[in-house]
């Protein structure tokens, strides 16, 4: 479940978006103008923002620039009633991850939102993920397919192992939360024999075995999640 912020001054559209996105399983908050949006973003952690460009008090483009200065990685989907190409360019230049022109199809919005959320959980999306262990072994992961190599030797990875390892490599030296892993897994096909609540621990255990002698370790950060570290030399 993702926590979304919808910033839209049109009451009918705002209520419609809130209802549909709640039904789609998200935790939804809303703001009616740019100033309210900024004060909510200052106090609450959101996974993504759906932002109308034409807003009272503080304009949507100004809100977007503000977000980019403070919350660089926060995904933003821009909505614009203005159809002009200039407005789109302005929106994207100000740092929108994606945009839709009103009126839009709700299924289209949901699909774009899912794609945006998924991309945001893969920090190095688009390029090969790579890290060098202390044992001088190089771990590489394909950004889109469940493929990995340790010193150019193909690794046997299931899709879930690959997405977990991608998150860890993309956040090297930083904690990856349980809920972040589970959120990414949710959008993928289930794998058999792993329905137990300790599934994450099982996968971490498997990855540790596969990373043996690589000079890379997956550390358990109690109560928070897991972190990939390069072993001390
Ligand atoms: Ca508006």
């Amino acid at each position: 479940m993702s926590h979304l912020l919808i910033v839209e001054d049109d009451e009918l559209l705002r209520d419609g978006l809130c209802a549909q996105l709640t039904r789609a399983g998200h935790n939804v908050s809303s703001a009616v103008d740019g100033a309210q949006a900024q004060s909510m973003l200052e106090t609450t952690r959101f996974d993504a923002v759906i932002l109308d460009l034409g807003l009272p008090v503080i304009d949507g483009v100004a809100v977007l620039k503000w977000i980019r200065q403070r919350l660089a990685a926060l995904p933003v989907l821009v909505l614009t009633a203005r159809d002009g190409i200039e407005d789109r360019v302005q929106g994207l230049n100000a740092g929108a991850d994606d945009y839709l022109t009103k009126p839009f199809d709700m299924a289209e919005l949901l699909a774009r939102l899912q794609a945006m959320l998924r991309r945001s959980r893969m920090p190095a999306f688009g390029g090969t993920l790579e890290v060098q262990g202390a044992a001088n072994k190089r771990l590489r992961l394909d950004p889109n397919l469940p493929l990995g190599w340790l010193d150019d030797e193909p690794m046997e990875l299931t899709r879930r192992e690959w997405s977990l390892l991608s998150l860890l490599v993309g956040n090297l030296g930083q904690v990856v939360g349980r809920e972040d892993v589970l959120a990414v897994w949710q959008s993928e096909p289930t794998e058999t024999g792993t329905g137990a609540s300790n599934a994450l621990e099982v996968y971490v255990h498997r990855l540790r075995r596969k990373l043996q002698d690589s000079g890379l370790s997956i550390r358990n950060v109690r109560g928070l999640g897991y972190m990939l570290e390069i072993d001390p030399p």
Side-chain angles (χ1 to χ4, degrees), residues 150 155-157 161 201-214 216-218:
L150 196 54
M155 294 174 80
E156 268 188 42
L157 294 172
E161 287 172 353
E201 286 68 29
V202 173
Y203 278 93
V204 167
H205 180 72
R206 285 194 207 160
L207 284 179
R208 278 179 178 147
R209 277 211 315 253
K210 292 179 185 187
L211 291 174
Q212 236 171 27
D213 308 321
S214 68
L216 293 166
S217 299
I218 301 172

Side-chain angles (χ1 to χ4, degrees), residues 79-91:
L79 302 178
T80 174
R82 299 174 290 185
D83 201 16
I85 187 83
E86 276 173 36
D87 294 320
R88 297 186 192 190
V89 169
Q90 193 186 10

Side-chain angles (χ1 to χ4, degrees), residues 127-139:
T128 309
L129 285 166
E130 195 174 314
V131 61
Q132 182 115 16
N136 262 339
K137 292 206 174 173
R138 193 168 54 124
L139 170 66

Side-chain angles (χ1 to χ4, degrees), residues 87-136:
D87 294 320
R88 297 186 192 190
V89 169
Q90 193 186 10
L92 291 171
N93 279 348
D97 295 273
D98 202 355
Y99 68 90
L100 280 172
T101 306
K102 297 177 191 174
F104 53 84
D105 181 42
M106 194 56 76
E108 174 77 14
L109 179 129
L110 281 170
R112 300 272 195 99
L113 181 68
Q114 274 323 116
M116 203 173 73
L117 286 167
R118 204 179 135 72
R119 276 199 303 271
S120 74
R121 293 185 180 113
M122 297 283 179
F125 191 89
T128 309
L129 285 166
E130 195 174 314
V131 61
Q132 182 115 16
N136 262 339

